[in-house]
Amino acid sequence: MESTLDHTGHAHEPLRIHVERVVRQYFAMLGDEIPTDLYELILKEIEQPLLSVVLEKSRGNQTKCAQILGLNRGTLRKKLKIYGLM
């Protein structure tokens, strides 16, 4: 797979590459310790900044944010409340 460089010289890699790198780093940090509920932990860690950035990008317009994310507006509002983003 080939990466492209942006105007700052940083490589653009697919999101899955970044996620894989972080998960591998997390396991390396744990050493021999075995985590539990890793799936839920990762979803929570990704969901909050995702919601925050998309809400910012949509200038606080929840309808537009929900459309961008492919969520029902009610589901979005529930998630925003969970993370204290509204």
Side-chain angles (χ1 to χ4, degrees):
M1 174 186 337
E2 193 172 310
S3 296
T4 59
L5 298 179
D6 66 12
H7 69 282
T8 65
H10 291 99
H12 285 286
E13 296 175 320
L15 181 58
R16 65 180 174 75
I17 299 297
H18 294 284
V19 172
E20 180 180 342
R21 184 179 304 125
V22 169
V23 173
R24 289 184 186 282
Q25 289 171 348
Y26 183 72
F27 273 109
M29 181 187 74
L30 290 177
D32 292 334
E33 187 179 337
I34 302 297
T36 57
D37 299 323
L38 182 60
Y39 185 79
E40 187 67 27
L41 171 69
I42 289 175
L43 287 183
K44 284 180 181 179
E45 289 294 315
I46 291 172
E47 190 171 51
Q48 191 276 333
L50 173 64
L51 295 172
S52 180
V53 170
V54 175
L55 189 61
E56 178 185 312
K57 192 73 173 168
S58 65
R59 298 187 188 130
N61 183 321
Q62 292 179 11
T63 300
K64 190 173 188 174
C65 183
Q67 289 172 340
I68 292 169
L69 292 168
L71 295 175
N72 173 285
R73 189 168 176 271
T75 300
L76 173 65
R77 289 181 57 81
K78 179 181 172 184
K79 291 178 179 292
L80 293 176
K81 287 179 184 177
I82 288 169
Y83 295 109
L85 294 173
M86 60 178 300

